[in-house]
Amino acid sequence: GGSPTKGQGGSVRSANPSADHMSVYYTLLPKAFAPQRLAYTTSMDGSGLVLITTSSGPAAVWELEFTSGELCFVSNPVLHSQVRCNLFGQLTLSSVFQGWEVFRFIEVGFGNVAISSWTHSHKYLSSDPDGKVSTSENRLGHWEKWKLEKAENGVYI
């Protein structure tokens, strides 16, 4: 359908890509390792881009495109790519909008959220002390808590 849906604390986004919508951009911060921010870099083998957390360089801005309730796409407007959790629970960036790219934002208190894959409801985004971003099955772990900071007009924070 083409009716707009609204997610908590996010943007109004229509399920119909041609419909008018308002976008809200965020910087995602791992609670355990602030002031690091979710970003991307070229993989060690040069085969593509990988997600990392870093405190150096400009922050990556992410657009949260809610499909219904707390379900959304996590997109990078510069790369025109979405975060994807593949069949094996590995995170990559993808140019398509399908089920592998849908995530659920779950409030876990004190302004923090856990971010789970919609297709793998037991897989949560996690950031380790070295800045590696992967999935974990530890829903309420310290490394699995994230905070959203609104980025003004898509400008890097």
Side-chain angles (χ1 to χ4, degrees):
S3 64
T5 56
K6 182 172 176 134
Q8 289 184 331
S11 63
V12 175
R13 183 72 174 183
S14 172
N16 178 352
S18 63
D20 290 329
H21 70 279
M22 177 186 75
S23 295
V24 178
Y25 297 94
Y26 293 92
T27 302
L28 291 120
L29 298 97
K31 181 181 181 324
F33 307 108
Q36 293 186 11
R37 304 161 313 269
L38 183 66
Y40 52 87
T41 190
T42 304
S43 64
M44 296 295 263
D45 63 6
S47 63
L49 297 172
V50 294
L51 294 171
I52 61 167
T53 56
T54 182
S55 57
S56 63
V61 171
W62 301 92
E63 180 180 12
L64 302 186
E65 303 174 42
F66 286 88
T67 59
S68 67
E70 75 276 4
L71 298 179
C72 71
F73 294 105
V74 179
S75 303
N76 183 280
V78 174
L79 298 175
H80 304 289
S81 297
Q82 291 65 243
V83 176
R84 172 189 177 118
C85 184
N86 71 15
L87 180 64
F88 306 105
Q90 299 164 328
L91 297 172
T92 58
L93 293 171
S94 170
S95 61
V96 298
F97 287 90
Q98 297 178 351
W100 302 109
E101 293 79 26
V102 177
F103 288 86
R104 175 175 282 123
F105 281 62
I106 305 161
E107 292 183 43
V108 293
F110 303 102
N112 299 307
V113 295
I115 305 170
S116 73
S117 166
W118 180 63
T119 53
H120 302 292
S121 59
H122 61 286
K123 297 285 188 183
Y124 298 88
L125 259 66
S126 178
S127 176
D128 71 12
D130 295 325
K132 180 181 177 202
V133 177
S134 59
T135 59
S136 164
E137 294 185 10
N138 187 6
R139 175 182 177 183
L140 296 176
H142 200 56
W143 294 2
E144 290 73 32
K145 293 178 184 170
W146 297 81
K147 192 173 262 323
L148 302 175
E149 279 189 2
K150 196 178 283 189
E152 296 297 326
N153 301 319
V155 176
Y156 296 143
I157 295 176

